Amino acid sequence: MDGVRGGIGNAPGMKIQYVVTDVRRYGVEPAWCTTSFDLEFYRELTGKACAEISFAVS
């Protein structure tokens, strides 16, 4: 693989933002050109984050 997709090259040390599109298939897309996201994955992630900070707001 040449490291180029969608006209954008990547190199070691680059920071790439991505969106999880299908957690079961390890599907991700770059944040700047995503067309969908895995709602269940982000719902679970948000729930975990809220549980971690709930002590601070109680």
Side-chain angles (χ1 to χ4, degrees):
M1 227 169 155
D2 61 4
V4 176
R5 183 172 175 183
I8 307 293
N10 60 12
M14 287 181 67
K15 293 183 180 180
I16 300 173
Q17 295 179 348
Y18 62 91
V19 174
V20 176
T21 56
D22 187 348
V23 73
R24 291 184 185 125
R25 294 183 174 189
Y26 302 101
V28 298
E29 290 182 1
W32 60 88
C33 69
T34 190
T35 57
S36 65
F37 61 94
D38 189 325
L39 182 60
E40 291 302 318
F41 171 76
Y42 285 105
R43 183 177 288 145
E44 184 177 336
L45 191 64
T46 302
K48 287 179 181 180
C50 290
E52 288 183 15
I53 65 163
S54 64
F55 71 91
V57 295
S58 315

